Amino acid sequence: MSSISILHRACLRLALLPLPPLRARATALRPPPPPRRHLHLPRRSAMSSAASRLSHIATATAGAAAAGESNEPPPAGSAVAQEDDGLSGDIGYRLPPKEIQDIVDAPPLPVLSFSPNKDKILFLKRRALPPLSDLAKPEEKLAGLRIDANSNTRSRMSFYTGISIHKLLDDGTLGPEKEVHGYPVGARINFVSWSQDGRHISFAVRVDEEDNKSGKLRVWIADVESGEAMPLFKSPEIYLNAIFDSFVWVNNSTLLVCTIPVTRGAPPQKPSVPSGPKIQSNETKNVVQVRTFQDLLKDEYDADLFDYYATSQLMLASLDGTVKPIGRPAVYTSIDPSPDDKYLMVSSIHRPYSYIVPCGRFPKKVELWTVDGKFIRELCDLPLAEDIPITMSSVRKGKRSIYWRPDKPSTLYWVETQDGGDAKVEVSPRDIVYMENAEPINGEQPEILHKLDLRYAGTSWCDESLALVYESWYKTRKTRTWVLSPDEKDVSPRILFDRSSEDVYSDPGSPMMRRTDMGTYVIAKIKKQDGSTYVLLNGTGATPEGNVPFLDLFDINTGSKERIWESDKEKYYESVVALMSDKTDGELSLDQLKILTSKESKTENTQYYLQTWPEKKQVKITNFPHPYPQLASLYKEMIRYQRKDGVQLTANLYLPPGYDPSKDGPLPCLVWSYPGEFKSKDAAGQVRGSPNEFPGIGATSPLLWLARGFAILSGPTIPIIGEGDEEANDRYVEQLVASAEAAVEEVVKRGVAHPDKIAVGGHSYGAFMTANLLAHASHLFCCGIARSGAYNRTLTPFGFQNEDRTLWEATSTYVEMSPFMSANKIKKPILLIHGEQDNNSGTLTMQSDRFFNALKGHGALSRLVILPFESHGYSARESIMHVLWETDRWLQNYCVNGASKADSDSVADSENKTLSASGGSAAREDLSPEGSSYLPRSLL
């Protein structure tokens, strides 16, 4: 994992904004949600002792939970009902029990962003969950994008509500808060970025209008020393176009901005009468296989509308007020200044567009300009890419991954496929990496940097004597790291690491990056007092006992390494977030090394620390409050157990605060997971994650039900293994059921889960898993919750998830994996939830609609909840609270207060008789797949 990836991981876990990987540029700083896991509820009857011990948590009765009682008023403008009979025709949004509401409504922590010189920190403030009215605003669905036409941005964009600045003092502590001020009150803030010298920050501002529509975005600049902000453009008619790129600092005083052309006019009007039929033709007999993309262009009017919103005029704007348009209006997708700020690499897409693939595959042109907009040359013009094979590791033809070398003023590098982009074609080399100067002299040809037999996977640059080139291949999970001397022709490339990407125990780590005087990031070289030079490898440190992150001094030439830092593995989980002792040039001294680390435990939320050498002094720089103190003393354990075929499995077991299994007895339990594919049993059995990580609880997390007295088995590994030439999905159901059986047996054996009160749930592919388990392993679970899933794989005929065979190549696999085809076998209650506007490939809302109809047609106890305006994930407060209410009600009715196993067996028998009388077929033995070991709950 690279240092940037590790930084991003920390960002996701505590919303720490990563440092820019190449240079200070504006990016869509969408406040990320906390990690999403998923939880559930307690049982009152037959649990009197547990209920008395947990009365300070589960204060509402089961009946109150079902009614959604709460002291909190509903959001303004929403219809929130407080009573429900559980029948169809329910009206209004519901609220979950107060103990769940309180956790979800807790104020979110700010996002942090360090200045380029690491001497200041921005605290970017966020709001709680957005109201449904935000999602209800009109949006255009064009070319795979969803566009807010009024703001001319991507729709449903999160935002910040305020910015404050803290100095990082010499002793590592934070100075007093300084608020950025001057912009409109109530503004929504996006795209925050630092100037290269750290003296200014830029950001976009939009203000809600009277009709509750967000206005268009304007670019603002704030002086970091004073906190005073002012608009970048003096003219009120210049707005930001943020459909693709937004703006980037070209130098310390100038930005290049994508703006809405001032002469654009009104949007095109949809013709009242079509000009002709919609025609697609394949008379040339091309083989074009595409996955189930959504929100595609439908006709010429859509194409015109896409052009209207996506077209930008590039503007150079200086802090002194000077403004200069450069280039002609076009659909610019990225603007990238060279490290020396002399050139611009400008990417755009153009017609002909496609009705079957999203805009990322439209014809793409990459040009080189001077920084003031003078055209120099065309780097490539790629044709429409409708025919990229669905096989994993297949890519687009032509030049791809075109970037500036970060260690050179203006040198480009890129990769070109030699197999036509088709992973099924056997050829050597498969990819070639090239580089050349921005303006070649005397007809000089591109230089071959390296030839690869696997698929190119990126480059980490250091200087003229060191670069690391990565290649990988999905089918075999092979990954290699090559050591190159880019500008030393007499030094041959050599393999540094050759391993399986699945083998986390052998991961040596990734190089830490330092900032250069050009504002780019390169591999940091560290010099010891004896003059020896090393690179810093930052690793997750996966071990059979869990992750123990580390920092190694690594000798590229000899392969020797010295561990200079390691996480406390007894109580805490620590990780390296960023290198803080950046220098503008040359090697760094080990005695002056300074790093930013995160630290957390099972009960203590993440805080950030500065670590300095040589004394390895640690200074805490944040003091964030516990986000849900009511669950501060919850119990967490990483448990290990074995599948019947010998594969080692792991899971995180959570128990409510104050729970004692010896005194309180078994609890109702929720199992929440997501399957994964592997090529080997050894890799599938490796431990991932740490037992000491803080349990992040997101707005729809299953861990919320710890507050309702549930045991939660979070993320039990569900490996689907296909060794050698075998495809993993050919034994999907068999391995899925075996994994679930092992998990259930373990929690029952431990005495923490009541064998008749275990629910299963999941989101997306986890919902697919849930439906399959209720169809093929009904003896394990009392009910299920399936959110935003796909259930009929014949509706995704050209591949899904990591399956790259088509329906016609693997018909039996597609059919047997589809729970839709086994709807007649589902006898346990299942709750289906889906966003009405799901935009994820393959998980169309129709999947849940049709699955529910199949279930209803066989008399299954089921419920379908369609959330207006929501997409694949859910974001509006009303929607999320209702999802929690639905889940809580379902678990109370069919897990906590559900029928006993004997009762459910008799119900199943009566259902089978009814189905048989009506022509259905659902014999009792069909509830367990042939050849699987049916283990009665009484024996678990």
Side-chain angles (χ1 to χ4, degrees):
M1 184 183 295
S2 69
S3 58
I4 296 171
S5 299
I6 291 171
L7 184 59
H8 183 62
R9 177 183 176 279
C11 174
L12 291 176
R13 288 190 16 235
L14 188 91
L16 173 68
L17 179 66
L19 300 170
L22 294 176
R23 58 191 299 120
R25 66 184 293 118
T27 53
L29 302 182
R30 304 184 180 192
R36 295 197 173 193
R37 301 172 189 153
H38 307 292
L39 341 99
H40 297 57
L41 337 139
R43 163 85 190 226
R44 298 260 171 191
S45 59
M47 285 182 59
S48 57
S49 61
S52 64
R53 291 178 58 84
L54 301 175
S55 60
H56 64 289
I57 295 177
T59 55
T61 66
E69 292 181 358
S70 170
N71 294 325
E72 174 137 344
S78 66
V80 181
Q82 295 295 330
E83 297 180 2
D84 174 52
D85 57 7
L87 302 177
S88 60
D90 302 336
I91 300 174
Y93 288 90
R94 279 21 181 219
L95 293 170
K98 188 174 186 303
E99 56 263 41
I100 291 179
Q101 284 188 61
D102 288 345
I103 297 172
V104 176
D105 279 335
L109 296 174
V111 173
L112 273 60
S113 174
F114 286 85
S115 66
N117 296 323
K118 313 298 192 304
D119 59 345
K120 296 181 182 67
I121 308 177
L122 298 182
F123 278 58
L124 305 173
K125 301 173 183 180
R126 302 183 290 162
R127 66 171 179 177
L129 297 173
L132 188 64
S133 57
D134 276 13
L135 274 63
K137 295 173 182 176
E139 59 182 0
E140 300 288 349
K141 300 173 183 178
L142 302 168
L145 306 180
R146 294 188 173 182
I147 296 172
D148 182 334
N150 194 67
S151 296
N152 219 103
T153 65
R154 302 287 181 95
S155 63
R156 306 182 182 188
M157 196 163 59
S158 299
F159 58 88
Y160 300 111
T161 58
I163 306 173
S164 62
I165 305 169
H166 291 266
K167 285 187 177 181
L168 191 59
L169 305 179
D170 292 339
D171 62 0
T173 60
L174 295 182
E177 180 181 71
K178 180 186 300 177
E179 288 282 350
V180 173
H181 58 277
Y183 55 85
V185 175
R188 301 184 173 202
I189 299 170
N190 289 97
F191 307 115
V192 182
S193 66
W194 292 89
S195 63
Q196 296 174 34
D197 60 6
R199 295 177 57 188
H200 296 89
I201 57 171
S202 54
F203 53 95
V205 164
R206 53 192 161 127
V207 180
D208 282 354
E209 299 173 346
E210 291 183 1
D211 55 1
N212 200 34
K213 293 181 179 178
S214 289
K216 293 182 174 59
L217 282 72
R218 301 180 187 273
V219 183
W220 283 64
I221 303 293
D223 180 273
V224 172
E225 196 60 35
S226 67
E228 184 176 356
M230 61 174 48
L232 174 64
F233 297 105
K234 294 180 180 178
S235 170
E237 302 301 318
I238 300 179
Y239 298 102
L240 180 66
N241 187 340
I243 300 300
F244 289 106
D245 213 338
S246 53
F247 51 83
V248 59
W249 288 90
V250 174
N251 54 48
N252 291 325
S253 61
T254 307
L255 293 94
L256 181 60
V257 185
C258 295
T259 68
I260 298 172
V262 293
T263 58
R264 185 173 71 173
Q269 296 298 307
K270 187 177 184 66
S272 56
V273 177
S275 59
K278 299 175 184 178
I279 298 172
Q280 297 186 56
S281 174
N282 192 34
E283 296 178 54
T284 56
K285 297 183 179 181
N286 292 329
V287 176
V288 179
Q289 300 178 354
V290 295
R291 297 217 174 193
T292 316
F293 298 117
Q294 300 195 50
D295 301 335
L296 302 177
L297 298 179
K298 298 180 292 296
D299 50 31
E300 187 63 20
Y301 167 71
D302 272 3
D304 291 342
L305 208 58
F306 174 75
D307 278 338
Y308 177 82
Y309 290 114
T311 297
S312 295
Q313 172 64 62
L314 299 182
M315 304 279 278
L316 278 174
S318 298
L319 301 187
D320 62 7
T322 304
V323 175
K324 177 186 177 182
I326 63 172
R328 59 176 180 79
V331 183
Y332 297 110
T333 56
S334 71
I335 44 178
D336 191 6
S338 61
D340 62 2
D341 299 330
K342 292 183 178 179
Y343 301 97
L344 296 173
M345 181 167 56
V346 180
S347 300
S348 61
I349 54 180
H350 60 83
R351 296 187 184 229
Y353 295 154
S354 170
Y355 297 156
I356 63 173
V357 294
C359 58
R361 296 191 181 186
F362 288 180
K364 177 182 179 181
K365 182 180 293 185
V366 184
E367 297 177 336
L368 192 66
W369 300 357
T370 63
V371 76
D372 59 356
K374 178 183 177 183
F375 174 83
I376 297 177
R377 64 188 179 104
E378 183 182 280
L379 299 179
C380 67
D381 191 354
L382 305 178
L384 179 65
E386 290 183 330
D387 59 348
I388 299 176
I390 63 172
T391 311
M392 305 299 277
S393 300
S394 293
V395 295
R396 189 173 190 160
K397 300 174 186 175
K399 291 183 178 181
R400 68 182 198 278
S401 300
I402 309 174
Y403 298 109
W404 296 105
R405 265 185 67 169
D407 63 318
K408 292 289 186 179
S410 53
T411 298
L412 294 159
Y413 71 99
W414 68 91
V415 62
E416 293 185 36
T417 178
Q418 307 300 300
D419 57 11
D422 189 347
K424 291 183 178 180
V425 174
E426 295 295 334
V427 65
S428 178
R430 189 173 292 277
D431 273 343
I432 298 180
V433 185
Y434 296 91
M435 62 180 181
E436 70 175 350
N437 292 324
E439 294 190 78
I441 302 172
N442 300 325
E444 158 181 271
Q445 294 300 305
E447 177 184 346
I448 294 177
L449 177 66
H450 194 40
K451 297 180 179 180
L452 301 167
D453 284 336
L454 307 181
R455 187 66 75 204
Y456 174 74
T459 302
S460 294
W461 296 88
C462 182
D463 52 31
E464 66 281 349
S465 64
L466 176 62
L468 302 179
V469 175
Y470 310 98
E471 61 175 341
S472 63
W473 197 245
Y474 177 78
K475 278 290 186 184
T476 60
R477 308 301 199 271
K478 180 179 284 292
T479 180
R480 292 180 185 144
T481 302
W482 291 84
V483 178
L484 280 70
S485 296
D487 302 327
E488 297 176 1
K489 309 307 177 191
D490 56 338
V491 180
S492 299
R494 60 184 175 86
I495 294 178
L496 183 63
F497 303 119
D498 189 349
R499 46 182 293 274
S500 168
S501 59
E502 290 183 337
D503 182 10
V504 293
Y505 291 169
S506 70
D507 188 348
S510 298
M512 296 288 291
M513 313 298 281
R514 70 168 179 86
R515 186 172 181 269
T516 70
D517 57 357
M518 295 183 292
T520 59
Y521 283 79
V522 298
I523 296 173
K525 283 187 175 180
I526 305 295
K527 179 175 287 188
K528 296 180 69 175
Q529 287 184 340
D530 61 7
S532 52
T533 301
Y534 303 83
V535 298
L536 283 170
L537 292 184
N538 181 12
T540 55
T543 74
E545 288 71 45
N547 291 352
V548 184
F550 63 83
L551 195 60
D552 282 350
L553 289 179
F554 184 77
D555 189 319
I556 288 286
N557 297 317
T558 67
S560 64
K561 56 186 176 182
E562 174 189 348
R563 188 142 300 177
I564 61 171
W565 179 88
E566 188 174 72
S567 171
D568 176 349
K569 55 189 174 186
E570 298 303 321
K571 179 181 178 182
Y572 292 100
Y573 178 77
E574 302 171 284
S575 60
V576 177
V577 177
L579 183 64
M580 300 294 286
S581 52
D582 280 352
K583 290 189 175 180
T584 55
D585 196 15
E587 298 167 342
L588 306 177
S589 169
L590 179 61
D591 289 343
Q592 297 176 334
L593 183 63
K594 185 185 297 183
I595 60 174
L596 178 71
T597 62
S598 64
K599 184 176 183 179
E600 62 195 84
S601 73
K602 298 175 184 178
T603 57
E604 300 171 57
N605 55 304
T606 307
Q607 306 292 351
Y608 291 90
Y609 294 78
L610 283 178
Q611 308 259 6
T612 58
W613 272 254
E615 67 276 9
K616 293 190 179 180
K617 180 182 176 182
Q618 179 175 277
V619 179
K620 185 177 180 180
I621 63 171
T622 61
N623 191 27
F624 296 121
H626 197 292
Y628 22 88
Q630 60 270 58
L631 294 180
S633 60
L634 63 80
Y635 175 87
K636 175 190 176 184
E637 180 185 357
M638 178 182 282
I639 63 174
R640 298 167 178 78
Y641 49 99
Q642 192 174 83
R643 202 164 73 178
K644 64 183 179 182
D645 59 0
V647 176
Q648 295 296 316
L649 305 177
T650 60
N652 284 315
L653 174 63
Y654 295 90
L655 299 171
Y659 170 72
D660 184 343
S662 63
K663 296 179 181 179
D664 301 327
L667 298 172
C669 177
L670 173 63
V671 178
W672 198 276
S673 193
Y674 192 98
E677 293 84 8
F678 292 87
K679 288 302 293 180
S680 75
K681 290 182 178 179
D682 289 342
Q686 291 183 349
V687 177
R688 293 161 173 83
S690 167
N692 295 323
E693 287 180 282
F694 181 72
I697 301 181
T700 55
S701 168
L703 298 187
L704 289 166
W705 273 268
L706 289 168
R708 299 281 285 151
F710 258 67
I712 310 297
L713 193 67
S714 177
T717 48
I718 311 282
I720 311 299
I721 305 165
E723 295 189 300
D725 294 333
E726 182 186 25
E727 295 291 342
N729 285 337
D730 290 343
R731 294 195 300 120
Y732 173 85
V733 171
E734 173 191 340
Q735 297 189 65
L736 180 71
V737 172
S739 297
E741 285 177 336
V744 168
E745 182 177 5
E746 182 65 22
V747 292
V748 171
K749 182 177 67 176
R750 287 170 172 262
V752 299
H754 192 293
D756 293 334
K757 301 183 185 303
I758 301 178
V760 63
H763 188 94
S764 194
Y765 207 52
F768 176 73
M769 169 206 75
T770 298
N772 266 308
L773 285 173
L774 293 187
H776 303 292
S778 64
H779 61 290
L780 296 176
F781 304 104
C782 61
C783 65
I785 299 99
R787 301 191 321 218
S788 298
Y791 309 103
N792 183 354
R793 287 306 173 192
T794 68
L795 297 177
T796 55
F798 290 106
F800 58 89
Q801 202 71 5
N802 291 320
E803 176 60 66
D804 57 15
R805 295 171 295 176
T806 70
L807 169 64
W808 298 272
E809 293 171 319
T811 304
S812 61
T813 298
Y814 273 66
V815 171
E816 290 167 9
M817 286 183 69
S818 297
F820 179 86
M821 304 300 180
S822 299
N824 62 312
K825 297 180 181 180
I826 295 179
K827 305 302 178 184
K828 298 298 177 63
I830 182 169
L831 172 63
L832 304 174
I833 302 175
H834 217 120
E836 190 174 38
Q837 304 294 326
D838 194 322
N839 60 343
N840 186 55
S841 176
T843 56
L844 297 84
T845 307
M846 174 180 65
Q847 289 271 7
S848 286
D849 283 329
R850 293 189 175 180
F851 188 41
F852 177 69
N853 287 334
L855 292 167
K856 191 166 58 171
H858 290 88
L861 199 168
S862 54
R863 181 177 174 95
L864 172 63
V865 179
I866 301 295
L867 302 170
F869 304 116
E870 295 288 354
S871 57
H872 191 59
Y874 320 136
S875 58
R877 183 179 187 275
E878 294 92 327
S879 301
I880 286 173
M881 290 299 182
H882 189 83
V883 166
L884 300 178
W885 177 84
E886 291 279 0
T887 305
D888 189 77
R889 172 186 172 276
W890 203 254
L891 292 172
Q892 288 288 349
N893 286 348
Y894 305 113
C895 184
V896 176
N897 299 319
S900 67
K901 183 178 187 299
D903 292 338
S904 64
D905 285 347
S906 63
V907 169
D909 288 341
S910 65
E911 286 177 347
N912 290 337
K913 293 175 183 178
T914 302
L915 289 170
S916 298
S918 61
S921 175
R924 177 64 187 157
E925 55 267 24
D926 287 345
L927 297 181
S928 181
E930 183 177 349
S932 70
S933 59
Y934 180 84
L935 189 61
R937 284 186 176 277
S938 59
L939 300 181
L940 287 177

